[in-house]
């Protein structure tokens, strides 16, 4: 009789393990996950702004799929016989009738419509705030400058997608916005009328713009945005977020938490939080009630009609521009009242988009930056960003001049003139004030580093003088206040080279030197304290 015991036979692996082994054998997922799931990411509350955008985009896709099942993108006229009694028996377009059908006859349809619209507003608001966070902290610098451009394109495409989306119901409010766009297209020199006929399939309103907007809204623009979003997230995963200055944090390391399980767990919970807040907004705050506005008619304009907030600056630019036109030889009319605002609406946002490359050219800094700057430590950039936001805000107020005039019982002409003047006066004033505030905050940081915080303790010196005792900052605070880089103004190249030959300085070189002095000269920044100054103050005995 044998005394050896047979080993127990291992049972078949679980089904989930078999599926994982099958996928790993064909796609190498295990090695990929092992290399990336423990990737470290820095942690800061402001990073959630980008996550709000991503989660709102996911909600938009989910709710949009639901709405496409019931929406009819057609401008054929039908007699409405649905549940909404005040409009029953009226002739409306199929697009408008199907929107009412979704709102009143599809179970949960109105809530899904509201969630979809609110998600669009939250998506673009989150994009705007997220981009400003990136701008003011200098997170657009190399190697993230390309990702900044992808983010800017996402914001622009989001605005276009939102415009084509709220134009689909063919109600009086959205039709007024489409009519506004038609006027802008007609203002394009020479080819404006041809573009108008191409977009609308004939004279406005035509019978084709809803089906064409529908195709653009549900296929073309979302497809491009999904591709850009994927590339954007891949670059974020590769470069990681910029981390804020602190002990142990440099441009060559990352201090934070692993992607799995900590970051993914937080991200999953935050998604449901964003979805919940959006659903609550949709449930309690009505938005775009097309049944109260009525179907679009070309001979009517709804009083106080306003676009969604992100398109308000376009409305304000056209309202503020005086009516001016010029007839070219051949009978072509240049409508400057619309053409100039359209040019500004391309140039001014384009200036913000191209700013990273402009700053890199002025600074001549080709290094990689992974530490976020405090806005006060870049006064020129912060002032420029604040001036840009003020420009945006002035035009948004201009787009609501009729609402403001009616609410405050003011003259609409006076408000329009205030917007015209404010367009030129407010941004420079905001630039100057913001820059002075940043310089003042830099002086305060310098005083804190050298003299410490006030303690309220009065000390009498041996010779009879009374001084207040200051407490030295902790090393972590000292590092945070002095870790930023400070550049020196670029010197102007000598007029004669080393061989005695006269060297001609180009206008480009002179301009760069002047801009560099504006950025980093005596009026552009406050020099942070040196180690010698710190030791000298520390040895005076006033601070302990």
């Amino acid at each position: 009789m044998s005394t050896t015991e047979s080993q127990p036979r291992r049972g078949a692996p679980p089904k989930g393990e078999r599926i994982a082994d099958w996928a790993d054998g064909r796609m190498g997922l295990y090695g990929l996950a092992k290399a990336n799931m423990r990737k470290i990411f820095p942690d800061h509350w402001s990073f959630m702004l980008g996550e709000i955008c991503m989660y709102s985009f996911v909600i938009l896709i989910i709710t949009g799929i639901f709405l496409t099942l019931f929406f009819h993108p057609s401008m054929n006229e039908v007699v409405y016989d649905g549940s909404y009694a005040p409009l029953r028996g009226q002739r409306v377009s199929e697009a408008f009738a199907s929107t009412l059908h979704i709102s009143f006859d599809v179970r949960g349809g109105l809530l899904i419509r509201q969630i979809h619209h609110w998600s669009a507003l939250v998506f673009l608001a989150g994009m705007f705030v997220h981009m400003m966070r990136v701008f003011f902290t200098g997170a657009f610098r190399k190697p993230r400058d390309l990702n900044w451009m992808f983010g800017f394109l996402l914001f622009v495409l989001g605005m276009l997608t939102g415009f084509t989306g709220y134009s689909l119901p063919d109600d009086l409010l959205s039709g007024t916005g489409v009519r506004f766009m038609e006027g802008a297209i007609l203002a394009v020199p020479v080819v404006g009328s041809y573009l108008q006929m191409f977009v609308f399939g004939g004279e406005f309103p035509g019978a084709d713009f809803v089906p064409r907007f529908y195709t653009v809204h549900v296929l073309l623009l979302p497809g491009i945005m999904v591709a850009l979003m994927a590339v954007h997230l891949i670059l974020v995963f590769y470069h990681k977020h910029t981390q804020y200055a602190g002990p142990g944090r440099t441009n060559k390391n990352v201090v934070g938490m692993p992607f799995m399980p900590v970051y993914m767990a937080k991200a999953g919970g935050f998604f449901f939080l964003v979805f919940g807040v959006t659903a609550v907004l949709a449930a309690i705050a009505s938005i775009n009630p097309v049944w109260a506005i009525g179907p679009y008619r070309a001979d009517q304009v709804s009083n106080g009609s306003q676009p969604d907030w992100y398109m308000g600056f376009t409305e304000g630019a056209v309202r503020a521009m005086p009516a001016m036109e010029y007839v070219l030889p051949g009978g072509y009319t240049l409508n400057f009242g619309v053409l100039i605002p359209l040019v500004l609406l391309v140039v001014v946002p384009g200036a913000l988009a191209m700013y990273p490359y402009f700053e890199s050219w002025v600074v001549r800094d080709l290094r990689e930056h992974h530490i976020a700057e405090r806005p006060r430590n870049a006064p020129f950039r912060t002032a420029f960003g604040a001036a840009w936001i003020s420009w945006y805000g002035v035009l948004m107020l201009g787009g609501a001049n009729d609402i403001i005039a009616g609410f405050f019982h003011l003259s609409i002409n006076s408000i329009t003139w205030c917007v015209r003047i404010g367009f030129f006066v407010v941004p420079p004033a905001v630039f100057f004030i913001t820059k002075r505030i940043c310089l003042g905050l830099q002086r305060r940081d310098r005083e804190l580093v050298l003299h410490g915080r006030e303690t309220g303790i009065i000390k009498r010196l041996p010779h009879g003088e009374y001084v207040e005792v200051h407490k030295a900052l902790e090393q972590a605070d000292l590092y945070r206040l002095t870790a930023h880089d400070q550049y020196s103004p670029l010197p102007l190249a000598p007029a004669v080279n080393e061989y005695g030959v006269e060297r001609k300085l180009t206008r480009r070189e002179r301009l760069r030197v002047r801009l560099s002095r504006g950025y980093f000269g005596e009026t552009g920044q406050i020099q942070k304290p040196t180690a010698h100054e710190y030791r000298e103050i520390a040895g005076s005995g006033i601070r302990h």
Side-chain angles (χ1 to χ4, degrees), residues 491-512:
L492 188 63
V496 179
N497 62 16
E498 63 272 18
Y499 302 106
V501 179
E502 184 178 356
R503 181 178 178 272
K504 185 177 180 180
L505 299 177
T506 64
R507 292 182 180 179
R508 178 187 176 94
E509 292 174 337
R510 294 180 185 274
L511 176 62
R512 175 184 283 179

Side-chain angles (χ1 to χ4, degrees), residues 337-381:
V338 180
L339 184 59
I340 292 179
L342 290 180
V343 173
L344 288 175
L345 297 178
V346 173
V347 172
V348 180
L352 186 71
M354 299 305 297
Y355 181 85
Y357 301 99
F358 170 77
E359 183 176 291
S360 176
W361 174 73
V362 173
V363 178
R364 280 185 178 175
D365 185 5
L366 300 179
R367 297 175 301 164
E368 290 192 359
H369 294 272
H370 302 288
I371 300 294
E373 285 188 312
R374 303 172 77 200
R376 67 185 64 179
N377 294 328
F380 189 97
R381 179 203 303 148

Side-chain angles (χ1 to χ4, degrees), residues 57 147 154 224-236:
F57 187 73
N147 217 14
L154 277 171
I224 298 173
M225 291 180 69
V226 167
L228 286 174
M229 182 79 75
V231 175
H232 186 80
L233 292 176
I234 290 172
L235 290 177
V236 168

Side-chain angles (χ1 to χ4, degrees), residues 306-496:
Q306 299 290 315
D308 284 345
W309 72 268
Y310 49 87
M311 299 298 292
F313 75 107
T314 61
E315 181 96 6
V318 175
R319 291 190 185 190
M321 183 67 191
M324 300 169 57
E325 64 179 28
Y326 179 77
V327 180
L328 295 173
Y332 296 104
T333 301
L334 292 181
N335 184 357
F336 292 113
V338 180
L339 184 59
I340 292 179
L342 290 180
V343 173
L344 288 175
L345 297 178
V346 173
V347 172
V348 180
L352 186 71
M354 299 305 297
Y355 181 85
Y357 301 99
F358 170 77
E359 183 176 291
S360 176
W361 174 73
V362 173
V363 178
R364 280 185 178 175
D365 185 5
L366 300 179
R367 297 175 301 164
E368 290 192 359
H369 294 272
H370 302 288
I371 300 294
E373 285 188 312
R374 303 172 77 200
R376 67 185 64 179
N377 294 328
F380 189 97
R381 179 203 303 148
T382 303
F384 178 84
W388 192 91
I389 293 175
S390 69
W391 169 86
Y392 195 95
V394 166
L395 291 185
M396 284 189 64
L397 291 176
N401 57 358
D402 54 341
I403 303 294
I404 297 173
F407 187 82
F408 293 103
H409 304 287
L410 300 173
S411 168
I412 192 171
N413 291 328
S414 299
I415 296 174
T416 302
W417 271 105
C418 288
V419 172
R420 291 171 180 173
I421 297 171
F423 180 86
F424 297 99
V425 174
V426 172
V430 170
F431 180 91
F432 176 79
I433 294 172
T434 304
K435 187 176 179 181
R436 299 305 302 174
I437 292 174
C438 290
L439 293 176
L441 292 173
Q442 283 189 347
R443 290 190 184 95
R444 178 178 175 272
D445 289 347
R446 177 182 172 86
E447 292 297 318
L448 281 175
V449 171
L450 292 178
H451 301 285
R453 292 189 176 91
E454 298 177 354
T455 63
I457 300 174
I458 305 300
K459 180 179 180 180
R460 183 179 181 182
L461 300 181
H463 58 276
E465 180 185 0
Y466 289 91
V467 296
E468 183 178 11
V469 177
H470 289 66
K471 182 179 179 181
L473 299 180
E474 300 291 339
Q475 289 298 316
D477 294 329
L478 288 174
Y479 183 87
R480 180 174 57 88
L481 297 179
T482 59
H484 59 281
D485 294 327
Q486 280 200 325
Y487 300 92
S488 300
L490 296 176
L492 188 63
V496 179

